[in-house]
Amino acid sequence: MELSGVLEEALEALVAAGLYQSKSEAVRDAVRRLLESLDFREVALRAYVAAGFTFQAASEASRLGLVELAGYFASRGVAPELGSTSVEEVSSGARLLDERGAAVLDLSALELLVHSGLASALVRPGVRAPRLVAPESLEARVRLLPYAGRVRLGVPLPRWLVAVSRLPSGRPRPRRGVSLQELEAAELARAHGAVYLSCDARSRAVARSMGVEAAPLQSLALLLRERGAIGVGELALIEDRLASIPVAVALRP
């Protein structure tokens, strides 16, 4: 970064006065003060609406959790593109999960799987569920989840998560408006021949643009219903919990 004119002279004066050791230190302090003055919820909202960020990338910018940020968006009259309003997308996603037998979760699927109560259905005796994997970039989040004492490669895992996996080719190339964990999940799904599972409609669109099959989280709920792991009443309860976030739902005909 280059500075000139009045700004350069002002920085030199601050250093000469002994307020900072260097101009770089003064600039860092100025940037820190600027960031402290911002409402990052509003920054995230503008990035989402005006710049086309995925909801998960906006969440990272906001420094809030997905559920909390979704509530803020709703309070500002902006409905986040979470879930799916398409019965066909949910149904075709369930078929994909059934065929592939494996899915890679991004942050939205990981968090809302637990929040909705759907995770509890995955660990019931006799339940046939797809193999669920999370990208390495979500390891810190996975460590915060309730787990049943199973540890793999040093990471405590809930019983419904098979592994936290690393991309064989290293980290993906950054993409504006998309978070690292989304890109890693999509690339990991490609590498494993799995479905990219996400509650974020924009994330699913990104994955499909990369040639990766994607499905909303409701597809997993529908598959479990079709396999008899959850009943109609429980499916409706999961739907209601998702809708309260708010997540668009299309599980019931």
Side-chain angles (χ1 to χ4, degrees):
M1 180 178 63
E2 294 184 3
L3 297 172
S4 60
V6 175
L7 286 176
E8 181 76 17
E9 293 173 358
L11 289 173
E12 289 177 353
L14 290 172
V15 174
L19 296 176
Y20 295 96
Q21 294 296 316
S22 66
K23 288 185 289 185
S24 296
E25 182 185 342
V27 170
R28 285 195 298 270
D29 188 48
V31 172
R32 178 184 61 79
R33 291 173 185 268
L34 170 64
L35 294 178
E36 288 177 349
S37 71
L38 296 175
D39 182 345
F40 280 94
R41 299 174 304 172
E42 189 64 23
V43 171
L45 183 65
R46 294 190 181 192
Y48 186 74
V49 173
F53 275 40
T54 66
F55 186 76
Q56 296 176 92
S59 176
E60 289 191 2
S62 74
R63 304 177 182 179
L64 298 176
L66 296 175
V67 175
E68 188 177 358
L69 184 63
Y72 176 75
F73 274 31
S75 73
R76 294 294 309 277
V78 175
E81 295 175 34
L82 296 174
S84 177
T85 57
S86 168
V87 173
E88 174 54 33
E89 183 185 24
V90 174
S91 298
S92 63
R95 289 193 295 273
L96 277 172
L97 289 169
D98 188 33
E99 293 167 4
R100 298 291 181 87
V104 179
L105 308 176
D106 67 7
L107 178 59
S108 68
L110 187 71
E111 286 201 2
L112 300 187
L113 188 68
V114 176
H115 185 87
S116 67
L118 182 56
S120 64
L122 295 172
V123 296
R124 291 172 186 162
V127 170
R128 293 185 302 110
R131 299 174 67 256
L132 300 181
V133 176
E136 185 183 34
S137 54
L138 289 182
E139 179 181 322
R141 298 296 186 107
V142 169
R143 288 180 179 275
L144 298 176
L145 296 175
Y147 77 103
R150 188 167 60 89
V151 177
R152 182 168 180 178
L153 300 178
V155 181
L157 299 174
R159 282 188 291 157
W160 46 267
L161 192 63
V162 172
V164 172
S165 185
R166 176 179 300 178
L167 274 175
S169 57
R171 290 192 171 188
R173 179 177 299 177
R175 184 166 174 171
R176 184 175 180 271
V178 185
S179 67
L180 172 63
Q181 58 85 15
E182 293 169 89
L183 294 172
E184 283 195 353
E187 291 287 4
L188 200 60
R190 188 208 307 277
H192 285 230
V195 178
Y196 173 72
L197 198 62
S198 176
C199 269
D200 192 330
R202 293 185 183 181
S203 303
R204 297 196 300 274
V206 169
R208 288 169 183 147
S209 74
M210 297 165 61
V212 178
E213 299 280 12
L217 182 63
Q218 293 109 294
S219 296
L220 177 60
L222 182 60
L223 178 62
L224 293 181
R225 171 69 189 96
E226 291 172 348
R227 291 180 174 180
I230 56 178
V232 174
E234 188 173 3
L235 185 66
L237 180 60
I238 290 168
E239 181 185 42
D240 289 342
R241 285 172 177 165
L242 290 172
S244 70
I245 291 174
V247 170
V249 289
L251 286 175
R252 286 180 260 183

